[in-house]
Amino acid sequence: MREYVPGLVLALLFFAVYTFIGLRLNNLSVDTTDNFLDADNSSWMTRISAPEGSSLEMRGPHPFAYFVFRPLGWLLNLFTNDSALSAILLNTFTGALCVFLAWLFIKRQFQNSVYALLIASLLGLSTAHIFFGSVIETYIFSAAALIGFALVLQKKSDSLLAPVGMSVLTFGITLTNFVQNFILFVVSQTLKVFKTFRVSFTQVFRFTAFTLALGILLSIIHAAWFPSSK
């Protein structure tokens, strides 16, 4: 644990900042859909943790978002007894998690904890990350899934289990973000120069096929489970 203390402390500091801002900008009783840089924060607060949230329309770009968010919102509700607070904490925690994951990625890549702290701080202090780490939307969750996918690829394992799992999660939150996972995976296979073209192509094909098959299957189940989902 001592190795991870700097990253955890940094993430905790950003969690406090994001929560401070989030408590002021997210209000479940005020409809701010399409405000705050077009964020749908009030509707996503409802979807994530409100008791009636799953009856709200779920748009097509988010194939099985209720499967991702509702269990987490329900779990937090057990501790907060406040659905709005649960949604805010989930969003701000994910923003802080992105900072920690970025720190971990850079530290593994360059073996320099100070440099990792600086780069992760740049991410955490960027305008986009401060904003969407505080204002509820799907963007910060997609960011966490994408950084997590980069961490999986960094291990350079030939197993497809973790890359497919992270990609299915990305697909479920916002399906178009799978394109970024696909590009990263292709690049990672290309960089493995000891592999032949045939082996690399086979890995890319299997990765894509497994991800899309699981993603579509879960989307069909999601649509049946939640009739409000398109």
Side-chain angles (χ1 to χ4, degrees):
M1 283 297 296
R2 185 175 298 178
E3 179 185 356
Y4 297 105
V5 166
L8 291 171
V9 171
L10 184 67
L12 183 62
L13 290 173
F14 277 107
F15 174 68
V17 172
Y18 299 154
T19 302
F20 178 81
I21 299 171
L23 289 170
R24 283 152 181 77
L25 293 183
N26 300 286
N27 189 336
L28 189 58
S29 62
V30 179
D31 185 3
T32 50
T33 298
D34 287 332
N35 289 287
F36 295 135
L37 301 182
D38 209 39
D40 300 332
N41 66 323
S42 60
S43 58
W44 277 106
M45 289 174 75
T46 302
R47 290 188 181 102
I48 289 171
S49 54
E52 73 286 358
S54 60
S55 63
L56 197 64
E57 177 192 26
M58 178 61 73
R59 296 169 57 241
H62 312 290
F64 49 90
Y66 280 136
F67 281 169
V68 177
F69 297 125
R70 293 294 291 177
L72 297 173
W74 175 82
L75 183 63
L76 283 170
N77 283 341
L78 294 178
F79 298 95
T80 66
N81 291 316
D82 183 334
S83 61
L85 179 59
S86 295
I88 292 168
L89 291 177
L90 181 60
N91 198 92
T92 57
F93 172 81
T94 307
L97 177 64
C98 288
V99 173
F100 174 76
L101 294 178
W103 172 84
L104 184 59
F105 180 87
I106 298 298
K107 187 176 184 300
R108 285 180 179 175
Q109 193 70 20
F110 298 100
Q111 299 300 311
N112 188 322
S113 185
V114 175
Y115 183 62
L117 283 171
L118 291 172
I119 297 298
S121 297
L122 283 177
L123 171 68
L125 290 170
S126 66
T127 305
H129 205 82
I130 289 176
F131 189 83
F132 287 112
S134 306
V135 174
I136 299 172
E137 246 288 358
T138 60
Y139 305 128
I140 200 65
F141 301 101
S142 292
L146 290 167
I147 299 173
F149 183 75
L151 275 168
V152 166
L153 293 183
Q154 192 180 40
K155 290 189 174 182
K156 300 178 180 178
S157 171
D158 287 332
S159 172
L160 289 177
L161 183 62
V164 168
M166 290 302 301
S167 295
V168 169
L169 177 62
T170 302
F171 180 97
I173 297 171
T174 306
L175 64 89
T176 50
N177 284 335
F178 171 63
V179 174
Q180 298 174 64
N181 286 33
F182 176 79
I183 292 170
L184 280 172
F185 191 82
V186 169
V187 170
S188 72
Q189 293 300 307
T190 304
L191 292 177
K192 293 179 179 179
V193 294
F194 58 86
K195 284 191 172 182
T196 64
F197 173 80
R198 181 178 178 181
V199 172
S200 297
F201 177 81
T202 301
Q203 282 289 86
V204 170
F205 178 82
R206 291 173 62 207
F207 163 75
T208 306
F210 286 146
T211 301
L212 293 180
L214 287 171
I216 292 169
L217 176 62
L218 285 170
S219 300
I220 293 170
I221 298 172
H222 184 267
W225 196 314
F226 299 103
S228 60
S229 177
K230 290 188 176 180

